[in-house]
Structures are given as structure tokens and as C-alpha cells.
Amino acid sequence: MSKQTFRVCFCFRRRFRLAEAEAPDEIKALFNQYSENGVMTTDHLQRFLIEVQKQEKDTFQEAQSIVESFKHMTHFYRKGLHLEAFFKYLFGDTNPPLDLKLGVHHDMTAPLSHYFIYTGHNSYLTGNQLSSDCSDVPIINALKKGVRVIELDIWPNSDNDDVEVLHGRTLTTPVQLIKCLRSIKEHAFTASEYPVVITLEDHLNTDLQAKVAQMVTQTFGDILFSPGAKSMKELPSPESLKRRIIISTKPPKEYLEAKEIKDKERDTQKGDAASDEEAWGKEIPILKGHFHADDKNELDKDDDDDDDAEEDLDEGHHKLQQDIAPEYKRLIAIRAGKPKGGLEECLRVDPDKVRRLSLSEPQLEKAAETHGKEIVRFTQRNILRVYPKGTRVNSSNYNPLVGWMHGAQMVAFNMQGYGRSLWLMQGMFRANGGCGFVKKPSFLLKSGPHGEVFDTKAKLPPQKTLKVKIYMGEGWYYDFHHTHFDAYSPPDFYVRVGVAGVPADTVMKKTKTLEDSWIPFWNEEFEFPLTVPELALLRIEVHEYDMSEKDDFGGQTCLPIWELRQGIRAVPLHDRKGERYSSVKLLVRLEFV
């Protein structure tokens, strides 16, 4: 390195470190307001936590522990904090937007139908739906992230004497069922002690069903929940099922949707789990009472399918619905299937038993147009599972809010991909301590005196307004290569901030672009009126402006608005797959009015 290059690098790093210590003017003003002679005492800090941060229950001892945690950087620590320590506290890891100390805090004693459940789709696939490998690794990864519903498609092996997991009638390479089951047992309760549901898409004859029953029983032993041959009148609670495994099955129909995909689609979609366009450039579609043009063929195709999609099997299939090995049938705790008679019969609520119904994403959208209230009523007692349409061969996903706003518990996602839809899913299940179960809002669970339920199409007034002020950001210098964004100059960052929720609440806004800064100071405030705050997610994305090419990715997060802590918070950002960066974060003020 030449002397001139060394001097340039030294000066650049020195300017960077000086900028890091610069607090926004509003932070300085608050420090002056809650300090005396340049020192914020423990009493001052406690008052700040209560009045500004809205942490009304914080004690003197808790404020004192914050002060003492900065004793390494200030000789004032016995008296209090100076401005630099106060700023570092606000922008530090101990001041997140969600209260991590709460842990699991929702009522977990209600029936399973009262919860949104973190649900995977084709959980064994490592990439796309047509040619990727099948493995237990994505199952393990999903469980470690708190996913509570694992889907396995089970087929006979080539000798018809053992059972494999694969996406049938595709080029995906199989993995042994027993390997998947053992991995589920080992990792099921790593992230959460609440139950894991295994949904089996069964393509087996009765002999192999009996073999599966033996595998499942021997693998899980006493932790397997088995209610016996009779259907349950009411689903048990997550609390009563802690550290238990539940089996649910669905007849083998959904895979047929992918069968008719054109060869050119198969060729173009092989490879990565999700295309760059889906991962970054494509916005989440919103249901506004009409369908997008590219959904029309999918909806028409669903119309052509038999109404009894979960029960109808093609001629060459191994089994009929009534042909079920008895020992296998006894394992099934949550039974699935569509009754004959069309949508009305599918959504009929039986007071004597509960069941699980599966709809594809376009089927749900179509049903919601004409039977929205019936779907909400159905999901008050029964389980509704929504799964990606068959043309998503690149393992992309869809807007989960359509299912959630109608009470669907199992909105099944391809967890091996990435993209904005998956960020929403990750955001939802950061709630309730990340345990994989989120209690549904009360309005989705109750009925009026005449059977009235929540109307997803009703125009509602705003219940509250969320104010979000984006002060600044930092950490890209440490987590990205210094030429990642621009080879010759610092990056030009801007922030997109908004809400994902019911259609009336869904919006995205953006800050100005700040040129040539590793530590941008935006100081911009946004307001978001919320008609249904209980289903609203705060979306934040950072982009780096590029004049000649597509803007670069600089981080993202998604947070459940109903669990946000008010006040000034350090918001950590995540990469495209949802992994948290070591250093990248934003300083944000959150307020409800």
C-alpha cells in the first residue's frame, strides 16, 4: 500500500469513527432534557424510560443496571451516563423494538384453531419444486427457526418395500422417510416447546401405510399425540400439547397441480430457490376485491378441477380413501378432507367434530370473494390450511395476509426460498416469543348474538395511528465489503417503510436518498393510520440507489405492530433469507397516537 493510499484510508476511517459518535439533534435535546451538567443520573434515566420509552414498569434498579453496563466507557458511571454512553445505549442491542423479556405471553390454553401456526410447505425440498434435492436439512433449518408444521410427501421406493420422501412425478431426488422422522424428533423442540404437526401427503398402499405407522410409533414413542380412531369434538390447546408430535394427513391431490406445467417453465425455473426478481424486485400483491390478470388461468384451472380435490385420486394411484391401514388411521390426530357438495359444504361447521381443510392460494382468494364470512366462521373451530399454487415451481410465495385476515391457521410457505412474502411470514412469527404460535385477534374468534362474524370487506375507521421516525442507520461498513455497493465511493442509501395488513392499511413510503454515506442521517417521520392494527406488520427495507442498474439490497426487517415497544429503538436488519446482520441497524422512534 502506498503512503498516499494509506493516508486516504486512514482519513476515511477516522471520519467514519467521528461520525459514529454523532447523535441526532433530537437525541441530544432529549439528553439535555433528562440530564444535569452533562450527566444523566439513574433517576434521570428511569424518568426517561417511563416518559419517553413508555416503559412504565421499569424500576430504579433496572435503570441502574443500564448505567453500570457502561462503566467501561465513562468515569461518570457511578453518577450516570454522558451523551456518548446514552447514545450507545439507545443504539445498542439491549434496546430492541420488541420486548424479548416477555417470551411466550399469549394465552396458550385455547384450542389449536385459535392460533396462527408457523407452517411449511414441501418442507423437505432444498430448492425449486421440480429438480432440487430432497433432504432432512431444510426440515432441521425450519424447526430451528420455530416452524411448527412440517409437510412430507411420502411415496413407495422403486422396489415398493420402503417409503421415501419426494415431490412426486418430478425430478427431485428422494430422502428416506425414517431419516426425516429422526431429524424431526431430534430438532422439534430446539426453538420452541410447543407442538410440531407433521402433515403427510400419502401416496402409499396399505402395507406401506402400516410400515409408516410402525416407523412413526417407534421413532416418537410417548411424545406422539394419538387421540384414537374417533374424530375430536374440539382441538386440544398448544399448552396441553407441549413437546408433543401430532400427525395430520391429506389425500394426494395437490401435487397434480404442478403436473401440467409447460416444459419451458420447468427449464427456466430450475436452479435457485427463488429468482432475483421475486426475492427483491417484486412487491407483494394485495387482495382488493379483484384478481390480477396472471391469476386468471390458475383460477379457471381450479374451476375445472373436481370440487373434491382432497378426496379425488387419479386412476393409477395406489389407494382409495376407504383403504387405510387401521394402525395408520389411529395415528391421525387432525383429519383432512373436502366433503362433497361444493364450497358451502366444505365450509360447513360440524358441532360434533373438527377437521382440516386445504385450499390453494387462488382457491382461497376466489372463495373469499363470495364466502368470506363463512371462511372466518369455519376457522373459529376448524383448521384451514392454505398452500402455494402449483405454478410456483421456483419455490416463491404469496401474500399471507389474505389467509390470516380470514382466520386461516396454517398458511403454508416454501421456507427454503426468500423474498418479501417470506419476510412477512418471519415478521408475524417474531410475535409471542417466536414460539411458532400466535393467538388470533379476538374479532376473528367471536360471533355476535345472531352469528355475525368479522367482515373482511367492511370499511372500518382507523383505530390508531403509528408514527415512525427514521433517524439514522449504521453497520454496513462492518457487514459488507467496502466496495460492495460502489467501487469508488460510499453508498447512497434510502429507506422504504410501510405496513402490510388488511388492504386499507397496506402502504409503502420512502425516505430521500442520502449520497456517499456509510452512516446516513435521514431524520424523516411517517404516519400510518391503522384500521386493523392486530393484523398489521411494520415493514422496513434499506436500498442503495444505483443510477445505472437495479438498486442494491441493504437489509430488511418485518415486525408485528401489536407488539412494538414505543420510544426510540435500535432496529436490527436482516439479510434476504431472514438472517440477522451482526451490525446493520436503524435508529427509529415509534409512537402510537
Side-chain angles (χ1 to χ4, degrees):
M1 179 185 292
S2 69
K3 289 183 178 180
Q4 183 178 3
T5 303
F6 176 81
R7 279 197 298 270
V8 169
C9 291
F10 176 79
C11 291
F12 175 75
R13 290 170 188 255
R14 183 168 176 269
R15 286 198 303 272
F16 173 76
R17 285 198 296 267
L18 287 173
E20 187 177 39
E22 279 294 312
D25 290 341
E26 191 171 316
I27 304 301
K28 294 178 183 177
L30 282 168
F31 178 80
N32 291 334
Q33 182 182 344
Y34 288 89
S35 66
E36 193 173 336
N37 299 321
V39 178
M40 180 181 281
T41 66
T42 302
D43 285 324
H44 290 139
L45 178 59
Q46 185 188 10
R47 192 159 59 89
F48 169 81
L49 294 174
I50 293 171
E51 295 176 4
V52 178
Q53 302 293 77
K54 309 300 181 186
Q55 297 170 210
E56 290 86 356
K57 296 181 181 179
D58 274 20
T59 63
F60 179 88
Q61 288 73 24
E62 286 170 313
Q64 190 172 39
S65 69
I66 294 171
V67 172
E68 291 180 351
S69 69
F70 287 92
K71 62 185 180 183
H72 63 282
M73 63 174 294
T74 170
H75 61 278
F76 290 117
Y77 83 91
R78 295 189 185 279
K79 298 179 181 179
L81 305 174
H82 57 49
L83 175 59
E84 183 183 358
F86 175 64
F87 179 43
K88 284 187 177 293
Y89 161 66
L90 289 178
F91 217 169
D93 292 338
T94 58
N95 185 36
L98 303 180
D99 189 351
L100 304 181
K101 292 184 292 185
L102 282 178
V104 178
H105 56 281
H106 296 182
D107 174 17
M108 303 300 283
T109 62
L112 287 174
S113 56
H114 289 208
Y115 300 85
F116 298 127
I117 308 173
Y118 206 175
T119 302
H121 172 256
N122 289 353
S123 305
Y124 49 87
L125 288 177
T126 57
N128 69 65
Q129 302 287 308
L130 297 179
S131 61
S132 64
D133 292 335
C134 301
S135 169
D136 64 332
V137 173
I139 297 171
I140 295 169
N141 291 339
L143 290 169
K144 286 181 176 179
K145 292 176 181 176
V147 173
R148 297 291 86 191
V149 182
I150 299 296
E151 181 185 28
L152 303 177
D153 290 44
I154 49 177
W155 293 79
N157 66 355
S158 56
D159 293 329
N160 210 35
D161 61 359
D162 202 359
V163 182
E164 296 176 333
V165 175
L166 74 155
H167 198 202
R169 302 182 179 182
T170 67
L171 299 177
T172 55
T173 56
V175 59
Q176 282 191 315
L177 172 63
I178 189 63
K179 185 175 184 180
C180 295
L181 296 178
R182 287 169 179 166
S183 292
I184 291 171
K185 182 182 181 182
E186 182 178 352
H187 299 279
F189 307 111
T190 301
S192 169
E193 62 181 347
Y194 289 95
V196 168
V197 179
I198 303 175
T199 61
L200 298 175
E201 186 175 278
D202 169 12
H203 307 262
L204 306 175
N205 58 37
T206 53
D207 289 340
L208 288 178
Q209 283 180 350
K211 185 164 187 171
V212 169
Q214 185 179 26
M215 284 185 199
V216 169
T217 303
Q218 291 180 351
T219 301
F220 296 117
D222 292 341
I223 68 171
L224 183 67
F225 173 74
S226 181
K230 292 184 178 180
S231 297
M232 293 182 288
K233 285 191 71 171
E234 185 178 71
L235 292 163
S237 71
E239 186 68 27
S240 69
L241 293 170
K242 274 185 175 179
R243 306 190 73 85
R244 302 294 293 272
I245 302 292
I246 304 167
I247 303 298
S248 181
T249 65
K250 58 188 175 66
K253 175 69 177 184
E254 289 173 17
Y255 77 95
L256 295 176
E257 286 191 60
K259 189 174 67 173
E260 298 173 1
I261 296 170
K262 296 178 181 178
D263 289 340
K264 66 177 182 180
E265 287 179 321
R266 293 176 183 242
D267 295 337
T268 57
Q269 297 292 354
K270 291 177 184 177
D272 293 336
S275 67
D276 286 341
E277 181 184 7
E278 167 66 19
W280 183 237
K282 196 172 183 181
E283 253 301 351
I284 298 161
I286 305 169
L287 184 69
K288 289 187 180 291
H290 63 274
F291 298 103
H292 300 288
D294 60 353
D295 283 338
K296 185 175 186 302
N297 291 336
E298 183 70 23
L299 290 166
D300 289 345
K301 183 167 69 68
D302 283 333
D303 282 339
D304 293 337
D305 283 346
D306 192 289
D307 283 335
D308 308 310
E310 281 199 313
E311 292 198 353
D312 245 8
L313 310 179
D314 58 316
E315 282 182 17
H317 208 271
H318 284 294
K319 73 177 186 67
L320 297 173
Q321 274 304 100
Q322 61 269 27
D323 228 4
I324 300 178
E327 57 267 63
Y328 181 78
K329 187 175 183 179
R330 283 193 293 269
L331 296 180
I332 302 169
I334 303 175
R335 298 199 166 99
K338 288 182 182 175
K340 294 184 180 295
L343 192 56
E344 289 81 3
E345 191 63 25
C346 282
L347 297 172
R348 185 176 63 83
V349 177
D350 188 335
D352 295 321
K353 64 179 179 180
V354 291
R355 58 190 170 91
R356 197 196 80 208
L357 173 68
S358 287
L359 296 175
S360 68
E361 51 170 302
Q363 284 174 338
L364 173 66
E365 290 187 355
K366 187 176 181 183
E369 284 296 290
T370 54
H371 293 77
K373 293 180 183 179
E374 287 80 1
I375 298 172
V376 173
R377 188 174 291 109
F378 177 84
T379 59
Q380 291 178 345
R381 270 183 52 77
N382 301 280
I383 298 289
L384 176 60
R385 174 179 169 273
V386 185
Y387 59 93
K389 59 187 178 183
T391 51
R392 293 191 180 277
V393 293
N394 63 340
S395 295
S396 62
N397 288 299
Y398 51 100
N399 184 355
L401 268 305
V402 180
W404 290 333
M405 64 192 281
H406 288 89
Q409 298 87 352
M410 296 183 179
V411 178
F413 261 38
N414 295 306
M415 299 296 175
Q416 73 275 29
Y418 47 84
R420 287 186 169 104
S421 296
L422 189 55
W423 301 344
L424 297 189
M425 179 67 65
Q426 293 163 347
M428 166 63 85
F429 289 100
R430 290 189 175 108
N432 199 25
C435 73
F437 287 82
V438 174
K439 190 77 156 55
K440 294 199 288 188
S442 59
F443 61 79
L444 286 174
L445 299 172
K446 63 185 181 183
S447 299
H450 303 291
E452 313 96 304
V453 296
F454 177 65
D455 184 357
T456 59
K457 294 182 178 180
K459 290 188 176 181
L460 303 171
Q463 301 298 308
K464 61 175 70 174
T465 295
L466 173 64
K467 294 172 69 174
V468 180
K469 185 164 188 177
I470 309 290
Y471 290 114
M472 60 180 293
E474 72 151 354
W476 294 279
Y477 185 84
Y478 299 113
D479 289 344
F480 289 80
H481 191 275
H482 299 163
T483 59
H484 176 87
F485 299 108
D486 195 304
Y488 303 106
S489 64
D492 308 325
F493 287 126
Y494 65 93
V495 180
R496 294 182 75 231
V497 58
V499 171
V502 299
D505 295 345
T506 299
V507 66
M508 288 297 285
K509 302 178 181 181
K510 62 177 287 189
T511 67
K512 58 184 175 290
T513 300
L514 295 180
E515 296 183 356
D516 299 336
S517 179
W518 284 102
I519 304 182
F521 286 72
W522 292 283
N523 284 311
E524 293 190 47
E525 188 171 75
F526 305 90
E527 294 191 3
F528 302 102
L530 302 170
T531 63
V532 187
E534 301 91 338
L535 286 176
L537 300 165
L538 175 63
R539 295 177 55 194
I540 298 176
E541 302 173 1
V542 175
H543 300 238
E544 199 274 334
Y545 175 73
D546 194 315
M547 186 181 298
S548 58
E549 299 178 7
K550 189 172 75 170
D551 293 351
D552 289 321
F553 174 79
Q556 60 83 22
T557 194
C558 187
L559 300 166
I561 283 176
W562 64 94
E563 292 202 0
L564 288 177
R565 298 201 295 172
Q566 295 191 76
I568 299 165
R569 304 294 173 187
V571 178
L573 298 187
H574 302 75
D575 65 17
R576 290 195 292 182
K577 293 186 178 180
E579 300 295 331
R580 179 176 167 175
Y581 289 118
S582 299
S583 305
V584 178
K585 55 196 170 195
L586 301 179
L587 189 66
V588 174
R589 186 166 187 168
L590 305 166
E591 185 180 3
F592 291 109
V593 294

